[in-house]
Amino acid sequence: MQEKKRGTLAVLTGGGDCPGLNAVIRAVVKTALHHGFQIYGISNGFHGLICNDMKLMSLSDVSGILPRGGTILGTTNRDNPFHYAAGEDEKGNVIYEDRRDVVVRNLKDHGIDCLIVIGGDGSLKIAHDLHRFCDVNVVGVPKTIDNDLPCTERTFGFDTAMAMATEALDRLHTTAESHHRVMVLEVMGRYAGWIALHSGIAGGADVILIPEIPYDLDAVIRKIHQRQQNGKKFSIITVAEGAKPIGGQLTIARMVKESFEPIRLGGIGEKLAREIEERTGIESRCTVLGYLQRGGSPTAYDRVLSTRYGAAAVEACLDEEYNVMVSLQANAIVRVPIAQAASKPHQVPVDSDIVRTGRELGISFGDEKPED
C-alpha cells in the first residue's frame, strides 16, 4: 500500500535572478520530501501558474544545485496574473486580462495546499493578492540583492552582490592610484543604498552616494580636493543607481512596459564622472557593475541563509501557518505577515550606526557643509 502524502506544495521564483535561488529551491524540495509532502516546481514564475507549466520535484532534480547561480525553475518579472498581457489589438495596444481564475484552477487541479513564492516586493505583492482575493495559501521567501524588503534584516543575494562590488572596488583602487584618476563605481539597489554603503565601506571608498542622502556635488569636489592636498592623487566613489543630487531628479536609463520595474535606473555614475572631470580637470572614469552583481555562485553566507529560509518556508506549511513571509530577525528565522512584507521598501536609516561609522572614517556622503 502506498504511503499517504502529507499534502502538496508548490514553489516558484519570481522577479529578477539572484544568487541563492537554487539553494532555496533545494532546501524547499528536500525539506518537503523529508516531511512527506509532494512538491511541484513551477516554471518561469507566475507565467508557469498561468500556463500550467509545473512538474513534481524529486531529490535528483535538486542534486548539485547548491552552488549554482540563477534558478533551475526559471523566472520572469512579468506575467502578473491580475494584469496579464494577453496580446495586442489591431492598433498594437496591449490587451490586459485578469487570469486569477486560471491560476486558482491550476492550483486546485494539482491539489496544491500552499504556494511558496521566492521573490522581492513585486512577487510578494502578487502572493499577498492571491491570498486576499483568491484565498490561496502562500508563504513568502525574501529575495533581492538590494536588501530593501521590510520586516527582515537580510535578504539572500545581498551578501553576494556586496562581495562582488567590494572586489570591484579593490580592483579599481589599483588603476585609480596608478593613473591618478577619480574612479566611480555605479552599483544596483534601486531606491535603497545598502549595496553602495556596505561595499563602499568594505572597499575603502572615499565617497559613498546613496538614495537616502541626496548629495551636493560641491561636497564631493571638496572631498577630492582635500585628498589631493593630503597627497592622495586619486579618489574612489561608490554611487547607488538611485542616488540623486539635492533638489535634482533620478537618473533614468529607460522606461520599460510590462515589468515590475517600469523605470530602469542607470547612468548616474557616468554623469557624476563627467561632472567631476569638468569641474576639477582630473581624469575621471565610471564602471557600471550591473548584472555581474546578480550572477554567479552565492557566497557561503547566502547559501546558509537561503537554506535556512527554504527549510523555514516548509516548516510554516507543516504548521499550517500560511500567508506569512519567513524573515531574519536577531539572527533567528521568524514569520511575519506577508502584507507587511509587501509594504514600503526598507531603506538605509540616515542615522544608522554604519552611516555614522563611515562619517567617523572620513567618508563623504555628499552632504557635508564647507568649513568656515
Side-chain angles (χ1 to χ4, degrees), residues 48-74:
L49 267 183
I50 296 169
C51 299
N52 201 22
D53 187 2
M54 60 183 81
K55 73 163 192 171
L56 279 173
M57 303 287 285
S58 66
L59 289 177
S60 63
D61 291 314
V62 296
S63 177
I65 70 171
L66 178 63
R68 283 173 55 182
T71 163
I72 62 169
L73 294 177

Side-chain angles (χ1 to χ4, degrees), residues 289-310:
L289 202 51
Y291 288 97
L292 289 173
Q293 295 159 97
R294 288 192 180 278
S297 183
T299 61
Y301 181 90
D302 273 339
R303 296 183 199 190
V304 173
L305 182 60
S306 300
T307 300
R308 293 174 70 191
Y309 277 151

Side-chain angles (χ1 to χ4, degrees), residues 22 27 39 73 105 120 141 181 186 205 226 257 290 356:
N22 282 325
I39 177 75
L73 294 177
R105 182 172 65 249
V141 177
R181 290 173 175 164
E186 179 183 318
Q226 180 189 53
K257 295 181 179 179
R356 292 198 302 272

Side-chain angles (χ1 to χ4, degrees), residues 181-370:
R181 290 173 175 164
V182 173
M183 299 298 287
V184 179
L185 180 69
E186 179 183 318
V187 299
M188 287 180 167
R190 295 195 297 179
Y191 308 107
W194 295 106
I195 296 176
L197 177 59
H198 281 254
S199 65
I201 289 179
D206 307 299
V207 178
I208 299 174
L209 304 179
I210 60 177
E212 295 84 351
I213 305 176
Y215 68 89
D216 180 354
L217 184 60
D218 288 339
V220 176
I221 299 297
R222 284 195 298 272
K223 178 63 179 180
I224 295 170
H225 284 156
Q226 180 189 53
R227 285 179 53 77
Q228 286 190 317
Q229 291 167 6
N230 292 333
K232 297 290 187 179
K233 298 186 180 301
F234 72 97
S235 294
I236 302 292
I237 299 174
T238 304
V239 58
E241 62 184 355
K244 62 181 179 180
I246 297 172
Q249 301 296 318
L250 293 170
T251 303
I252 298 174
R254 60 193 177 105
M255 305 292 289
V256 181
K257 295 181 179 179
E258 306 316 315
S259 172
F260 287 152
E261 297 179 71
I263 298 176
R264 298 284 174 83
L265 300 175
I268 181 63
E270 187 61 43
K271 176 183 176 183
L272 190 65
R274 183 174 61 252
E275 290 175 337
I276 289 171
E277 185 165 332
E278 289 173 353
R279 290 277 300 272
T280 66
I282 302 170
E283 192 174 1
S284 303
R285 293 288 186 269
C286 170
T287 297
V288 181
L289 202 51
Y291 288 97
L292 289 173
Q293 295 159 97
R294 288 192 180 278
S297 183
T299 61
Y301 181 90
D302 273 339
R303 296 183 199 190
V304 173
L305 182 60
S306 300
T307 300
R308 293 174 70 191
Y309 277 151
V314 175
E315 288 171 353
C317 298
L318 193 65
D319 294 338
E320 297 185 357
E321 187 175 351
Y322 304 124
N323 315 313
V324 296
M325 181 189 79
V326 293
S327 164
L328 182 70
Q329 295 183 10
N331 203 35
I333 304 295
V334 299
R335 301 164 190 168
V336 298
I338 201 166
Q340 294 180 16
S343 61
K344 185 178 178 181
H346 173 50
Q347 294 183 295
V348 175
V350 298
D351 59 349
S352 62
D353 69 303
I354 189 167
V355 172
R356 292 198 302 272
T357 297
R359 294 191 189 280
E360 292 293 337
L361 294 174
I363 296 172
S364 170
F365 287 86
D367 62 339
E368 298 79 16
K369 303 301 181 183

Side-chain angles (χ1 to χ4, degrees), residues 19-216:
L21 280 169
N22 282 325
V24 179
I25 295 167
R26 173 180 177 269
V28 166
V29 171
K30 295 189 74 169
T31 307
L33 294 177
H34 174 73
H35 286 288
F37 287 104
Q38 290 188 124
I39 177 75
Y40 280 93
I42 299 171
S43 298
N44 302 317
F46 291 100
H47 179 80
L49 267 183
I50 296 169
C51 299
N52 201 22
D53 187 2
M54 60 183 81
K55 73 163 192 171
L56 279 173
M57 303 287 285
S58 66
L59 289 177
S60 63
D61 291 314
V62 296
S63 177
I65 70 171
L66 178 63
R68 283 173 55 182
T71 163
I72 62 169
L73 294 177
T75 188
T76 176
N77 56 7
R78 303 174 185 239
D79 299 325
N80 182 340
F82 296 91
H83 193 64
Y84 179 72
E88 296 182 352
D89 61 19
E90 64 277 3
K91 295 182 179 180
N93 299 314
V94 178
I95 300 172
Y96 296 101
E97 294 181 357
D98 189 332
R99 296 287 181 89
R100 73 180 79 180
D101 292 340
V102 175
V103 167
V104 172
R105 182 172 65 249
N106 289 337
L107 289 171
K108 287 183 176 179
D109 286 348
H110 288 85
I112 294 169
D113 302 300
C114 182
L115 174 65
I116 297 173
V117 176
I118 311 169
D121 55 352
S123 298
L124 293 179
K125 183 181 184 304
I126 292 174
H128 176 50
D129 288 344
L130 286 173
H131 160 59
R132 274 202 305 166
F133 302 122
C134 307
D135 201 28
V136 172
N137 292 326
V138 295
V139 171
V141 177
K143 173 236 65 171
T144 170
I145 66 169
D146 304 327
N147 199 44
D148 62 351
L149 284 177
C151 307
T152 186
E153 294 171 1
R154 186 67 65 95
T155 58
F156 75 87
F158 170 67
D159 189 74
T160 306
M162 177 179 59
M164 172 60 69
T166 301
E167 181 182 350
L169 287 170
D170 289 345
R171 293 174 180 272
L172 288 175
H173 259 95
T174 59
T175 188
E177 189 170 9
S178 297
H179 291 273
H180 315 303
R181 290 173 175 164
V182 173
M183 299 298 287
V184 179
L185 180 69
E186 179 183 318
V187 299
M188 287 180 167
R190 295 195 297 179
Y191 308 107
W194 295 106
I195 296 176
L197 177 59
H198 281 254
S199 65
I201 289 179
D206 307 299
V207 178
I208 299 174
L209 304 179
I210 60 177
E212 295 84 351
I213 305 176
Y215 68 89
D216 180 354

